[in-house]
Amino acid sequence: MTREVPFVRVSTADAVTTLELDSPHNRNALSTRLMAELTAGLAAAAADPAVRAVVLGHTGKVFCAGADLSEATGSDPTVGPRGLVDLQRALLDCPKPVIAVIDGHVRAGGLGLVGAADLAIAGPASTFAFTEVRLGLAPAVISLPLRPKLQPRAASRYYLTGETFDAAEAARIGLVTEAAEDVPGALKTLLDALRLGSPRGLAESKRLANAEVVRSFERDADELVALSARLFGSAEAQQGMRAFLERRPAPWAE
């Protein structure tokens, strides 16, 4: 029997667990399977007393393309949004600091992973875009970790326009911690610093830093799941997603 190739590659060395998104067939999109594997990897890292930090990385030229639109037509439209809420919350609740390491493209739901990470490094190949508006959708559940972190004017611009922006702009608006030319060097600097912190001190400091983000989840998660479900089920979004999958302009953009 052939062993299934994982969508998330897990390795641990030097007190750091690395979770690497590796689902090239759909550009690391947030399929049910990828989210389940990532959640399991986070849980294992959280339970391992030898692990001091978690690195969330990727293979290929795409960090994460967002929702897996091939799964967006199920009978229960809340399943996908609720799954992404739970994954983002798992990143927040992991007692170990999580560092997102990006040197590729991030779109739509993938930005929620970046926002839920404690620290984020973006390399020179990184680009970012909230593409939902061009599909008849809105960045609903990913706003839970992002609204407390993003500059409001920047959120308005990029939510509404769907424009693509680079690593320097992502750092300026609060989406990432650092835009780095030398990504491995920047990661080493952060990991060396984290290893100087005590496990309890890191966990409690993370809790303090994320207090407003956690309040966002507790206050708004159900409402934004419902909004996302309504949008995904709308005729407009069905047209937009079909146009995207068929690589043609949406009806309102023709």
Side-chain angles (χ1 to χ4, degrees), residues 29-123:
L30 296 167
S31 63
T32 301
R33 181 177 155 197
L34 183 142
M35 290 196 293
E37 290 185 17
L38 185 50
T39 301
L42 285 166
D48 187 343
V51 172
R52 306 295 299 284
V54 177
V55 171
L56 176 60
H58 65 102
T59 63
K61 297 180 179 179
V62 179
F63 175 81
C64 179
D68 187 340
L69 297 184
S70 70
E71 296 184 355
T73 56
S75 58
D76 183 352
T78 68
V79 169
R82 177 59 66 185
L84 183 51
V85 168
D86 291 344
L87 175 55
Q88 292 174 130
R89 189 64 195 258
L91 288 161
L92 284 175
D93 289 345
C94 177
K96 319 296 172 73
V98 178
I99 307 174
V101 179
I102 305 141
D103 202 18
H105 307 305
V106 192
R107 299 292 183 267
L111 292 158
L113 303 186
V114 179
D118 301 292
L119 302 164
I121 299 167

Side-chain angles (χ1 to χ4, degrees), residues 31-249:
S31 63
T32 301
R33 181 177 155 197
L34 183 142
M35 290 196 293
E37 290 185 17
L38 185 50
T39 301
L42 285 166
D48 187 343
V51 172
R52 306 295 299 284
V54 177
V55 171
L56 176 60
H58 65 102
T59 63
K61 297 180 179 179
V62 179
F63 175 81
C64 179
D68 187 340
L69 297 184
S70 70
E71 296 184 355
T73 56
S75 58
D76 183 352
T78 68
V79 169
R82 177 59 66 185
L84 183 51
V85 168
D86 291 344
L87 175 55
Q88 292 174 130
R89 189 64 195 258
L91 288 161
L92 284 175
D93 289 345
C94 177
K96 319 296 172 73
V98 178
I99 307 174
V101 179
I102 305 141
D103 202 18
H105 307 305
V106 192
R107 299 292 183 267
L111 292 158
L113 303 186
V114 179
D118 301 292
L119 302 164
I121 299 167
S126 302
T127 69
F128 305 85
F130 293 92
T131 51
E132 290 92 342
V133 70
R134 300 184 180 189
L135 299 178
L137 302 167
V141 298
I142 66 171
S143 287
L144 293 167
L146 287 170
R147 282 189 303 190
K149 297 182 178 183
L150 293 179
Q151 291 184 4
R153 283 294 187 187
S156 292
R157 174 172 181 170
Y158 294 118
Y159 277 22
L160 292 169
T161 66
E163 293 173 299
T164 299
F165 53 96
D166 63 11
E169 178 69 353
R172 186 190 72 81
I173 68 176
L175 176 61
V176 303
T177 310
E178 179 180 358
E181 290 296 322
D182 176 10
V183 174
L187 176 60
K188 182 180 185 302
T189 296
L190 288 178
L191 289 175
D192 286 348
L194 291 174
R195 289 190 185 98
L196 299 176
S198 76
R200 179 72 179 273
L202 289 171
E204 294 302 332
S205 295
K206 171 170 176 163
R207 194 189 312 276
L208 287 170
N210 285 328
E212 189 57 38
V213 179
V214 170
R215 280 192 284 271
S216 172
F217 275 77
E218 292 173 347
R219 183 184 63 237
D220 299 329
D222 289 344
E223 176 186 346
L224 292 180
V225 165
L227 170 61
S228 185
R230 288 198 303 273
L231 289 171
F232 269 100
S234 70
E236 191 169 274
Q238 293 299 314
Q239 289 178 323
M241 290 187 288
R242 191 176 306 114
F244 175 81
L245 292 171
E246 295 172 0
R247 299 180 181 277
R248 58 178 173 79

